[in-house]
Amino acid sequence: MKKILIKTIIFFCISLHLACDKDFLDLEPLGEYSETNVWKDLNLAETFVNKMYINVFGTPFAAWRLSDYSDESHFVPDWGTGNFNKGLITSDNLYTWPATYATAHLNWNSLYANIRQTNIFFSKIEDIAADDPDFSNRLKGEVYFMRAATYHYLTTLYGGVPIITDVYGLNDDFLLPRNNYAECIDFIVSQLDSAAVLLPESYSADRAGRITKGAALGFKAKVLVYAASDLHNPEKNGAILQGYTNPELLGYTNGSSADRWRLAKNAAKAVIDLQTYSLHAAEPAEGDSIPQTIADYFLSKELTAEDIITIHYTPKTSTGGWVDPVIASNPNGYHGTGNQNPIGDLVDDYEMKDGSKFNWENPVHKANPYLNRDARFYATVLYEGVQWATRPSDALVMDPYSRIQTGYVYSTNGTMIKAGLDTRKGPIEDWNGSYSGYYLRKAVDPTISPTDGKKQDIPFRYMRYAEILLIYAEACNELGEDAEARTFVNMVRKRAGQPDLPETINGDALREAIRQERRIELAFEDHRFWDVRRWLIGPDASYQTHGVDIRYTVDRTQVASYRQPDGSTWGTPVYNRIEIPGDLRIWHNKLYFFPIMRDEILKNDLLIQNPGY
């Protein structure tokens, strides 16, 4: 009885307090803004828009990279990427795809959540647009871009999807069928055209990373070159759509392929004609180190005339090693996790400096596979013997020269007697080394050590002028304008110090050369995953991956260190191409598109599933 009395008194006191404090229920949560307040203030509306950026671009600098799902790199821990790469995904299970920082935004739910945000913006912005028309128009331009980019990823993953521009409430009928692919592309282009009209041509340095007019026009070129590609061309995609009763959802069913390529060409030319952008260090000066110049470009915190869309980071935006290349990409001999490692098949695709193909069957090439290669190889890949960052103190005593060690020293009787610091048997960390014998250099800051507790804040180059030149060249080639195509490919090659493509390369051979150029120039920049699909080359890009085995042989049973005291190696290395254990990639044609997950199909019976699922 006493307990009941006490509770009654407490309740009475609280009730009295609330009755006296008439504003109690009107209090705003500290540190937060209500939706009502957001749409009273353009600065708060800008904060609302800012959140869309990560929803569209994700975090490309992650422990998992999009490259791990293509024939660029091998993800050492696996954690399900191997199952994805074997084509085992279903409408119930995408394995690691939804769980990674690099790909979590690339799925139906996340993308449509962002579409809802863009639609909310457009439903509210007019309430405050008159406060500062220039400010609000700029925000509108950014959100037109965000809506276009989000629908681009939806259509690239799934084909035609429902186009939604309204904000649905709980009591609304939001069950809609998929629009066809052509309608989606037309809508995306219209959004980008609207964005380009409203956006400024540039921003001050303190607003770097915001979308500009050139970014909208560049993204339009990307959208149109994807749309014109084989995957969506009824003259090319019949084999993968065989028996599918709704081909209009996954590509064009009429119209001219040449017209679509011309639209892509004109879109790229519009960016070129802005005369705002140019290749960084387009004219290599005699005596300059071209590999170092290229490497430095990807390490620059300052933007250059080549940068069109950049994703910016600060140490605060990083989550441990999960979105920090210093930890995730550095070799294990530096106390990095070395998660995504270039596969040997990519390394082999880098040309020789004279423009000829590298070939393991060539005894000269095999004897020294890293000599006289395309400068972009040296700017992208860490390999046996190359100078890298200063080792952490515990490793520096074993390697005062700070050169990558991915090989092994063997005695003449065949016994391994010393493992390189950066191998899976090295003395620093013997559990997370590369299986391929390579590590990633591109955009990894060598001035920060994984043991420093610091994180790099270099921007990710999401779109740059080199991509626009290659889009233009690709479209020209498809239209039979091969001389023009070669001219623009050669601009990119010249910056890398590679010779021009011969004038005798035309037609199909030139198409392959352009595709090869994209593979090399844009490596680890989140292009290859999509290029494999839009070019319908899935089977060619799925295979047992390879790495390299490197051995030194000495006539003794012990050596004190991996290298001799003067830094030289124990004799001449022997290189052999080997298979990466467990990394057999298998292609199924269903992989050209993602499945609409079963729970979405069950919620909306108007949705038609993609073939193979």
Side-chain angles (χ1 to χ4, degrees):
M1 184 68 183
K2 184 177 180 181
K3 290 182 179 179
I4 294 174
L5 179 62
I6 292 172
K7 290 180 179 178
T8 302
I9 293 170
I10 292 173
F11 177 77
F12 174 78
C13 292
I14 292 173
S15 300
L16 182 64
H17 171 73
L18 295 182
C20 295
D21 190 353
K22 295 183 293 184
D23 296 327
F24 179 80
L25 296 178
D26 296 328
L27 292 177
E28 297 285 353
L30 295 176
E32 297 181 12
Y33 296 102
S34 70
E35 183 176 323
T36 301
N37 284 338
V38 166
W39 303 113
K40 289 181 179 178
D41 186 321
L42 278 172
N43 289 306
L44 294 182
E46 183 178 44
T47 301
F48 184 86
V49 172
N50 290 347
K51 294 179 180 179
M52 296 180 194
Y53 275 78
I54 194 168
N55 295 341
V56 168
F57 298 123
T59 51
F61 283 143
W64 273 290
R65 299 279 286 266
L66 198 56
S67 62
D68 300 324
Y69 298 96
S70 73
D71 57 339
E72 287 185 311
S73 61
H74 173 241
F75 183 61
V76 170
D78 188 270
W79 292 344
T81 53
N83 287 331
F84 184 99
N85 290 334
K86 288 178 174 62
L88 300 182
I89 65 171
T90 68
S91 60
D92 297 304
N93 191 353
L94 296 180
Y95 292 96
T96 58
W97 187 270
T100 82
Y101 283 99
T103 58
H105 64 300
L106 296 174
N107 63 74
W108 186 280
N109 288 339
S110 298
L111 291 166
Y112 267 111
N114 203 48
I115 292 298
R116 178 175 170 78
Q117 296 300 95
T118 66
N119 293 343
I120 289 173
F121 171 89
F122 283 118
S123 74
K124 299 289 187 179
I125 189 60
E126 293 306 326
D127 295 344
I128 51 175
D131 296 350
D132 187 338
D134 290 339
F135 192 168
S136 63
N137 282 338
R138 190 260 296 170
L139 289 183
K140 289 178 190 177
E142 291 185 34
V143 179
Y144 275 124
F145 175 92
M146 296 301 166
R147 189 152 69 177
T150 306
Y151 271 112
H152 164 72
Y153 281 118
L154 279 165
T155 55
T156 303
L157 288 166
Y158 301 103
V161 295
I163 297 175
I164 300 172
T165 56
D166 295 325
V167 181
Y168 287 101
L170 292 176
N171 297 321
D172 292 329
D173 181 8
F174 52 85
L175 303 183
L176 295 174
R178 298 169 65 175
N179 288 78
N180 67 46
Y181 182 78
E183 291 169 340
C184 290
I185 296 302
D186 288 345
F187 177 74
I188 293 168
V189 169
S190 73
Q191 299 294 289
L192 291 169
D193 286 341
S194 296
V197 170
L198 296 170
L199 289 168
E201 292 191 4
S202 63
Y203 288 104
S204 58
D206 63 329
R207 299 181 72 80
R210 303 200 79 89
I211 296 300
T212 62
K213 176 180 180 178
L217 294 178
F219 204 89
K220 178 180 175 180
K222 177 195 289 281
V223 168
L224 289 173
V225 81
Y226 279 36
S229 297
D230 294 355
L231 180 59
H232 308 293
N233 183 347
E235 298 172 9
K236 301 287 184 69
N237 65 11
I240 69 163
L241 299 184
Q242 190 173 15
Y244 189 59
T245 56
N246 296 95
E248 75 283 355
L249 297 177
L250 302 182
Y252 293 93
T253 55
N254 52 40
S256 166
S257 173
D259 287 345
R260 293 190 287 272
W261 281 112
R262 194 164 289 108
L263 288 172
K265 174 191 171 185
N266 292 342
K269 190 63 161 59
V271 181
I272 295 168
D273 288 345
L274 288 175
Q275 297 186 344
T276 300
Y277 306 104
S278 60
L279 291 175
H280 177 67
E283 300 284 341
E286 187 173 350
D288 283 356
S289 168
I290 298 176
Q292 191 62 52
T293 299
I294 295 172
D296 288 346
Y297 165 63
F298 288 102
L299 294 173
S300 173
K301 297 180 184 180
E302 303 298 323
L303 300 189
T304 75
E306 184 163 351
D307 298 314
I308 300 176
I309 301 176
T310 50
I311 304 172
H312 291 255
Y313 295 86
T314 69
K316 291 183 179 179
T317 62
S318 180
T319 305
W322 294 110
V323 290
D324 182 31
V326 166
I327 295 175
S329 298
N330 253 301
N332 58 329
Y334 284 79
H335 291 289
T337 57
N339 280 347
Q340 67 285 135
N341 305 131
I343 61 173
D345 307 87
L346 170 64
V347 170
D348 297 348
D349 279 346
Y350 284 85
E351 293 176 347
M352 305 301 291
K353 188 172 177 59
D354 63 5
S356 62
K357 302 296 184 185
F358 173 82
N359 186 355
W360 280 104
E361 301 300 318
N362 183 322
V364 175
H365 294 178
K366 183 176 180 179
N368 197 338
Y370 312 133
L371 182 66
N372 294 326
R373 301 291 291 274
D374 184 325
R376 291 168 292 189
F377 162 70
Y378 303 108
T380 304
V381 179
L382 293 175
Y383 56 93
E384 166 67 12
V386 69
Q387 190 79 53
W388 184 228
T390 302
R391 299 251 185 204
S393 57
D394 60 337
L396 193 61
V397 297
M398 292 180 270
D399 175 26
Y401 300 98
S402 295
R403 294 180 178 273
I404 297 297
Q405 300 181 3
T406 55
Y408 300 87
V409 181
Y410 278 77
S411 68
T412 51
N413 65 11
T415 302
M416 193 270 288
I417 55 177
K418 187 66 68 174
L421 295 182
D422 307 305
T423 68
R424 294 188 62 81
K425 297 180 181 179
I428 300 298
E429 293 179 5
D430 60 359
W431 50 273
N432 64 354
S434 170
Y435 285 97
S436 71
Y438 302 107
Y439 290 93
L440 182 62
R441 175 179 181 176
K442 193 174 195 178
V444 179
D445 189 346
T447 67
I448 304 175
S449 170
T451 60
D452 287 346
K454 299 178 181 178
K455 301 176 179 68
Q456 70 177 48
D457 53 357
I458 295 164
F460 182 87
R461 267 79 187 177
Y462 178 89
M463 174 176 280
R464 53 192 181 88
Y465 191 57
E467 180 187 355
I468 299 300
L469 297 180
L470 293 174
I471 287 173
Y472 183 75
E474 183 177 349
C476 286
N477 169 247
E478 296 293 342
L479 291 168
E481 302 169 10
D482 287 345
E484 182 83 342
R486 284 194 305 273
T487 296
F488 281 81
V489 173
N490 288 339
M491 290 180 187
V492 178
R493 291 176 63 82
K494 182 175 183 178
R495 190 258 297 275
Q498 288 301 98
D500 287 353
L501 295 176
E503 294 183 6
T504 54
I505 295 183
N506 292 289
D508 292 346
L510 181 56
R511 177 185 297 115
E512 292 306 311
I514 293 169
R515 292 180 177 184
Q516 168 72 1
E517 200 65 28
R518 279 185 67 97
R519 176 154 168 75
I520 297 305
E521 175 67 25
L522 304 177
F524 299 99
E525 296 178 50
D526 287 2
H527 294 279
R528 182 66 176 179
F529 180 87
W530 310 110
D531 285 348
V532 165
R533 284 156 175 77
R534 70 183 182 90
W535 291 332
L536 291 177
I537 61 168
D540 298 329
S542 302
Y543 40 72
Q544 169 61 59
T545 60
H546 295 84
V548 64
D549 175 78
I550 304 163
R551 300 188 179 198
Y552 303 89
T553 301
V554 295
D555 188 15
R556 60 182 71 186
T557 58
Q558 270 189 324
V559 292
S561 62
Y562 182 76
R563 289 194 173 88
Q564 299 189 65
D566 63 359
S568 61
T569 61
W570 295 101
T572 302
V574 175
Y575 302 89
N576 283 295
R577 190 171 186 254
I578 60 169
E579 293 183 353
I580 295 177
D583 199 32
L584 170 64
R585 317 282 178 97
I586 300 172
W587 187 263
H588 303 287
N589 282 342
K590 69 177 185 178
L591 301 176
Y592 285 116
F593 296 96
F594 269 44
I596 300 174
M597 301 308 284
R598 189 183 304 277
D599 58 349
E600 292 298 327
I601 297 286
L602 292 176
K603 286 187 291 186
N604 181 1
D605 59 7
L606 298 180
L607 294 176
I608 297 172
Q609 183 60 278
N610 281 331
Y613 302 103

